[in-house]
Amino acid sequence: ILLRHLNDINKKLLEDGSGRDSDQQRLMKRGRIFGRHPSGDTVAKVGDHTLKVTIVLWGYSFNEPVWDSIVEVLIALPLEVVFTCGVKIGLTKILETYLKLFGVQIVELNLESNIIRVRDKFLKFIESFRIHNTDAFSDWLQQDVSDWGKVGKVHQLLSVAGIGA
């Protein structure tokens, strides 16, 4: 039953990575990890007023317990089912969302320490994917993920995220 909701889970992860819910309200701070743009805050002039502007892009903050729990749930499912049925109905999109978060935290924010726990569990899951469905894993490595703007293929995104493929 859970596998049918993989696309919804991915939407929630994307929402969490934005720091805002579907109504554009800030998400709760509890368990949330925050990153700051490397160049820091900037200043904007509006009329006669000077404002401090904080740059916040997708992946700058995330709720670590949520991301960690989703990997744990996926690991707990029968892996043969996850890597056959799940691949057909949204699993790879979730995996790509994790890789995008890792890339933002490592490349843009230089905060690899923020994702170590989640990434270690994710790596274990990726290794299981490679073992249980080699063909689907190989196909996935060649998927286009250029919507992220940094790389073109999943195997490149794995490298950016500090995971060798």
Side-chain angles (χ1 to χ4, degrees):
I1 293 176
L2 177 76
L3 292 180
R4 286 189 240 160
H5 299 285
L6 290 177
N7 286 319
D8 292 331
I9 292 169
N10 190 51
K11 286 178 189 172
K12 290 298 182 185
L13 287 173
L14 288 168
E15 188 176 279
D16 183 74
S18 74
R20 303 271 177 188
D21 65 15
S22 57
D23 296 325
Q24 293 303 306
Q25 299 296 313
R26 290 185 75 189
L27 295 171
M28 66 178 193
K29 290 185 179 181
R30 186 175 186 185
R32 199 153 193 83
I33 293 181
F34 294 92
R36 296 186 66 82
H37 195 275
S39 62
D41 296 333
T42 190
V43 176
K45 279 232 176 242
V46 179
D48 295 339
H49 295 65
T50 301
L51 304 170
K52 181 176 95 171
V53 177
T54 301
I55 300 169
V56 179
L57 299 173
W58 187 90
Y60 278 32
S61 75
F62 67 101
N63 190 313
E64 184 187 32
V66 170
W67 291 72
D68 194 53
S69 297
I70 290 172
V71 173
E72 287 182 1
V73 167
L74 291 172
I75 290 171
L77 294 171
L79 298 178
E80 299 79 20
V81 175
V82 171
F83 297 128
T84 53
C85 299
V87 167
K88 297 174 186 172
I89 56 176
L91 176 66
T92 57
K93 291 295 181 197
I94 288 176
L95 300 179
E96 291 162 19
T97 299
Y98 273 84
L99 291 174
K100 290 172 186 178
L101 175 71
F102 299 161
V104 169
Q105 289 289 314
I106 294 169
V107 176
E108 294 183 29
L109 301 176
N110 198 25
L111 293 172
E112 188 169 357
S113 60
N114 284 354
I115 52 123
I116 288 175
R117 194 170 95 188
V118 175
R119 188 177 60 183
D120 287 348
K121 290 178 184 178
F122 179 83
L123 183 56
K124 179 179 171 185
F125 188 71
I126 291 294
E127 286 301 318
S128 294
F129 184 11
R130 184 191 323 244
I131 291 166
H132 286 86
N133 194 338
T134 306
D135 292 339
F137 183 79
S138 295
D139 290 345
W140 177 61
L141 289 179
Q142 298 308 314
Q143 287 287 323
D144 179 35
V145 288
S146 57
D147 64 312
W148 187 51
K150 305 289 184 211
V151 295
K153 305 278 184 201
V154 168
H155 68 86
Q156 294 167 313
L157 192 53
L158 281 164
S159 178
V160 167
I163 302 170

